[in-house]
Structures are given as structure tokens and as C-alpha cells.
Amino acid sequence: MSDNDGAHVGERPLLPRPVLLPDLAAARLLGPAEVVEASRQRLLLGWKAMRDYQLARRPDRPYPPVVPLLEAAYAEPRLRVLHPFTSHHSLNLSSCTEYPYLVQVPPVDPLPDGRFRIRGPRSAAVIGWADTAEEAVARVVARIPPGLGPAVTRAEA
């Protein structure tokens, strides 16, 4: 039996899908800084929606703190200019806005227990742990190579 919104009676309704704006294709026409900003907004909206969905469907199951990590990374000016992407919950920051990405700063893995694991760039080796997203971001900033500037397109790299 269904009600008028398509959900089965007795089940929790599904959360609406987020609108993932802005358009990355349009941002690419404007330049790498716009691609970085568009990617950041898309990641944040997408991860917030996934977190909210998980919390609605399985409130008893911990969800990795990806959203606080994305927010902390964006609050840091030296990371804000790098192209963000995630892989298996891990936050990666590239100095190139196109694939193949060029990751020169440590990726951060948000863990279900609320902590963060910092790994070496292009490596699985653990180089540190943090209890908060801000602490994880500070550890990443401390390892930014000298002269690493804003992300560029592959053609400019």
C-alpha cells in the first residue's frame, strides 16, 4: 500500500535529492578558480545529502565526518585554492582541476568514530591522526610543499 507521495505506508519517506549546483561544465569555461569553487559546493551538497540520508535511514550507525572536514578545509585559505575531490570518503586536494589529478598534500580519511587519519600524498602510509577536522586540516597545511599555488587546468600544469 502506498500513500500519495509514492512511499510505502509505514516506511520513512525518502529525503529529496539535492540539486548539485553550480554546473561544472559552465565553471570550466570560466577558469580553474571557478572549477575549484564549483567542485567544493557540489561536494558539500552531495555529502550533506548522503549524511542526512544515512542518519534518516540508519540513525544507529555512525557516519564518517566528511562534512565537517570539507568545511574545515574550505575555511583554510591555503587549501581553499586547491581542487577538492573525495574517494572512499577520503578528502583529496589536487593542484590540477582535471584528471589525472595531482595530489601533493596529504589526504585525510574521516573515520566513523569521529577521528581523522592523515596519509602521505600518493601513499597509504599513515603520517598522523587527529581528533577534530580542524586539527586534521592544520596537519595537512603544515605539509604543503613550498610554492604550491592555486589549482590550474591540465593544460597549464
Side-chain angles (χ1 to χ4, degrees):
M1 179 177 193
S2 301
D3 58 14
N4 60 2
D5 69 358
H8 292 324
V9 174
E11 290 184 14
R12 292 184 204 135
L14 294 178
L15 297 171
R17 289 186 77 136
V19 176
L20 299 180
L21 295 176
D23 180 4
L24 271 178
R28 290 195 191 289
L29 297 173
L30 299 173
E34 287 76 10
V35 173
V36 167
E37 178 59 20
S39 296
R40 183 198 69 80
Q41 288 180 23
R42 289 174 64 99
L43 278 175
L44 193 55
L45 284 171
W47 280 106
K48 281 181 177 180
M50 286 187 275
R51 177 202 58 200
D52 294 347
Y53 178 79
Q54 172 72 24
L55 291 173
R57 301 297 281 174
R58 298 284 309 267
D60 57 322
R61 189 173 187 187
Y63 195 75
V66 181
V67 171
L69 179 60
L70 289 169
E71 292 171 339
Y74 187 70
E76 171 52 53
R78 293 190 61 199
L79 299 182
R80 186 181 312 138
V81 297
L82 298 174
H83 183 260
F85 68 98
T86 55
S87 177
H88 299 90
H89 293 106
S90 222
L91 174 61
N92 297 269
L93 297 160
S94 171
S95 57
C96 181
T97 61
E98 298 173 9
Y99 188 83
Y101 298 121
L102 183 55
V103 177
Q104 300 176 45
V105 299
V108 180
D109 304 321
L111 304 172
D113 68 0
R115 295 181 342 138
F116 300 85
R117 177 177 49 221
I118 300 103
R119 294 181 288 117
R122 301 173 306 275
S123 155
V126 175
I127 60 173
W129 299 88
D131 291 325
T132 67
E134 293 77 16
E135 182 184 344
V137 164
R139 291 178 186 247
V140 170
V141 169
R143 292 180 172 264
I144 294 175
L148 185 65
V152 297
T153 63
R154 178 60 55 195
E156 298 170 338

